[in-house]
């Protein structure tokens, strides 16, 4: 259903329908310092005692700009510096003054409907509905004149100028293992400067030691993930098949205590092959964990001291090799001095190739493990 709704939203600018009888008026109201908006009653759609009107009726009445984002799956209504950002998948709206409120859009007959009172109040309008009085000649003339005026305003060339559909860039996931440590700060500084996001697979004892840095990376929009307690092959992969799951659970609880984030994304030390046999993977599944490996290895552990530029070169080689692949790009790096040194060049290169550096999104999890285990 969500896919259908978003499809309707994405193509909405190409399916503009101007219905007969649509009319509206905008006039000054000096009594309450608001502009008055009037809409025909037949435009109204009522849901749960809330009145909605087609989005274009409001956009055209107040000369607002509409921004449709495929990346964030949102609809943004903007007038100058004031805006409302509706999520198309959740019943919430963000406001330009920093609030997040409970509200929603409706979809019917390939039209998007806005909650009239909520939107009009936010932008400083008083909204009312007009009942067409056919026997009143003066009113009929006014409505016909308004209809002609609005019809000109909403001609297709005008509407194209008012709508922006944001293109969705290909995504790359910068992932960092074995932190946090003394090199986390320059890495976070670079990510912030370059407006890029990362995913950090962290060790439980180091999270305790560098808790402020863990809090910072979460606050700056990066995703915190789990990389075990011991990082010891023998302790993880020998003996009890629940060993990996137990270490990830301890790491998960520590992260939750520090940040309030309940993360279930794991990356096992040294990668999942050959160590993560069926029984170990079963343990992760039983405890509700996901598991990521990677498809581009920078070998930064090998070149961090001897030749950091090879880290950058490996990224370029890997991107070229995976060009055209439908598989998401997940880059393996570590929190170390060499990666911190070349990270600005790596991000500049990826941006130059058209990629957006995004964090892992638990709501859009996809399989990325060497076993092709779809459970993880």
């Amino acid at each position: 259903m969500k896919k259908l709704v978003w499809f309707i939203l994405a193509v909405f600018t190409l399916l503009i329908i101007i219905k007969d009888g649509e009319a509206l008026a905008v006039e000054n109201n000096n009594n309450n310092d608001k502009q008055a908006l009037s809409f025909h009653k037949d435009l109204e759609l009522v849901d749960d005692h809330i009145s909605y009107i087609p989005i274009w009726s409001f956009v055209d009445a107040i000369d607002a700009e509409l921004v449709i984002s495929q990346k964030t799956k949102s609809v943004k209504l903007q007038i100058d510096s004031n805006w409302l950002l509706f999520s198309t998948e959740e019943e919430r709206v963000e406001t330009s003054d920093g609030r997040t409120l409970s509200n929603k859009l409706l979809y019917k007959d390939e039209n998007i409907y806005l909650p009239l009172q909520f939107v009009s109040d936010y932008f400083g309008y008083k909204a009312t509905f007009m009942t067409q009085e056919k026997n009143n000649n003066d009113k009929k003339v006014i409505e016909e004149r308004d209809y002609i005026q609005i019809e000109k305003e909403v001609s297709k060339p005008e509407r194209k100028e008012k709508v922006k559909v944001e293109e969705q860039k290909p995504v790359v996931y910068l992932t960092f293992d074995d932190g946090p440590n003394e090199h986390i700060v320059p890495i976070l500084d670079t990510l912030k400067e370059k407006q890029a996001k990362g995913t950090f697979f962290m060790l439980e004892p180091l999270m305790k030691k560098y808790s402020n840095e863990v809090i910072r990376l979460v606050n700056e929009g990066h995703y915190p993930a789990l990389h075990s307690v011991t990082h010891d092959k023998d302790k993880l992969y020998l003996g009890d098949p629940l060993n990996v799951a137990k270490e990830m659970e301890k790491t998960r609880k520590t992260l939750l205590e520090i940040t309030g984030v309940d993360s279930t994304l794991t990356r096992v030390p040294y990668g999942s092959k050959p160590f993560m046999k069926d029984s170990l993977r079963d343990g992760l599944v039983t405890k509700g964990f996901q598991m990521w490996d990677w498809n581009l290895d920078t070998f930064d552990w090998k070149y961090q001291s001897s030749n950091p530029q090879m880290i950058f070169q490996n990224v370029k080689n890997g991107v070229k090799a995976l060009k055209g692949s439908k598989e998401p790009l997940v880059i393996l790096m570590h929190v170390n001095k060499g990666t911190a040194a070349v990270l600005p060049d790596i991000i500049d290169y990826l941006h130059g190739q058209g990629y957006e550096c995004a964090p892992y999104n638990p709501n859009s999890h996809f399989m990325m493990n060497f076993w092709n285990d779809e459970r993880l």
Side-chain angles (χ1 to χ4, degrees), residues 55-237:
I55 194 168
W56 275 114
S57 298
F58 199 98
V59 168
D60 293 322
I62 61 177
D63 196 31
E65 182 180 76
L66 189 64
V67 181
I68 299 174
S69 173
Q70 297 178 2
K71 183 183 73 172
T72 61
K73 293 182 172 55
S74 63
V75 173
K76 185 177 185 181
L77 194 68
Q78 182 160 0
I79 304 175
D80 298 325
S81 60
N82 296 319
W83 49 263
L84 294 172
L85 182 69
F86 289 87
S87 168
T88 62
E89 295 187 332
E90 303 174 34
E91 294 187 2
R92 65 176 174 82
V93 57
E94 297 176 14
T95 71
S96 53
D97 56 8
R99 293 177 290 162
T100 299
L101 306 173
S102 176
N103 233 297
K104 64 179 180 179
L105 302 173
L106 291 183
Y107 305 88
K108 185 178 180 182
D109 300 329
E110 296 183 339
N111 283 307
I112 307 173
Y113 285 79
L114 287 167
L116 176 60
Q117 198 64 51
F118 171 74
V119 177
S120 59
D121 284 350
Y122 188 78
F123 288 113
Y125 289 87
K126 179 181 179 181
T128 59
F129 286 103
M130 299 164 54
T131 302
Q132 189 173 15
E133 299 178 9
K134 293 184 178 179
N135 295 328
N136 186 327
N137 291 331
D138 291 339
K139 182 112 179 234
K140 185 176 181 181
V141 169
I142 291 173
E143 289 181 348
E144 287 178 351
R145 184 179 69 246
D146 287 341
Y147 176 77
I148 294 171
Q149 176 186 356
I150 296 302
E151 186 177 34
K152 286 183 179 179
E153 289 183 2
V154 300
S155 61
K156 288 185 179 180
E158 284 280 332
R159 283 186 164 174
K160 285 181 180 178
E161 294 175 2
K162 291 180 181 179
V163 176
K164 295 179 181 178
V165 179
E166 296 181 350
E167 295 182 0
Q168 187 169 4
K169 295 180 179 180
V171 171
V172 58
Y173 297 92
L174 303 175
T175 67
F176 302 87
D177 287 9
D178 293 357
N181 57 38
E182 65 272 22
H183 304 297
I184 188 70
V185 170
I187 287 176
L188 290 175
D189 289 346
T190 295
L191 291 169
K192 184 176 182 179
E193 178 186 350
K194 300 293 183 179
Q195 297 183 347
K197 303 299 181 184
T199 301
F200 290 83
F201 291 91
M202 296 180 287
L203 297 169
E204 192 265 352
L206 291 177
M207 283 196 294
K208 290 181 177 179
K209 183 177 181 179
Y210 293 90
S211 58
N212 289 335
E213 286 73 17
V214 175
I215 293 170
R216 175 188 168 182
L217 73 86
V218 169
N219 288 341
E220 293 183 357
H222 310 293
Y223 191 79
L226 318 173
H227 197 48
S228 82
V229 178
T230 65
H231 206 283
D232 187 310
K233 291 195 294 287
D234 294 337
K235 292 181 179 179
L236 284 164
Y237 305 126

Side-chain angles (χ1 to χ4, degrees), residues 250-360:
K250 184 177 181 181
T251 309
R252 175 186 185 179
K253 289 180 179 178
T254 296
L255 176 64
L256 182 61
E257 291 171 0
I258 294 173
T259 67
V261 177
D262 188 10
S263 176
T264 59
L265 181 66
T266 70
R267 174 175 287 161
V268 297
Y270 311 104
S272 68
K273 273 196 175 181
F275 302 111
M276 289 296 291
K277 306 296 185 183
D278 290 346
S279 59
L280 292 169
R281 300 203 308 278
D282 291 343
L284 286 180
V285 172
T286 299
K287 296 295 184 179
F289 290 110
Q290 289 81 40
M291 180 181 73
W292 258 17
D293 287 308
W294 56 87
N295 54 10
L296 197 164
D297 192 344
T298 63
F299 293 95
D300 59 344
W301 58 270
K302 181 178 181 180
Y303 296 109
Q304 62 163 319
S305 298
S306 61
N307 189 2
Q309 282 302 312
M310 271 303 298
I311 303 171
F312 179 29
Q313 187 60 49
N314 288 335
V315 170
K316 292 192 288 185
N317 293 342
V319 169
K320 290 176 183 176
L322 292 169
K323 202 75 172 179
S325 171
K326 294 182 180 179
E327 190 176 44
L329 192 58
V330 178
I331 301 178
L332 170 64
M333 292 180 284
H334 295 77
V335 181
N336 61 40
K337 183 177 180 180
T339 292
V342 297
L343 186 59
D345 293 334
I346 290 173
I347 295 174
D348 286 344
Y349 170 75
L350 293 170
H351 284 170
Q353 295 296 307
Y355 286 98
E356 175 189 2
C357 301
Y360 170 78

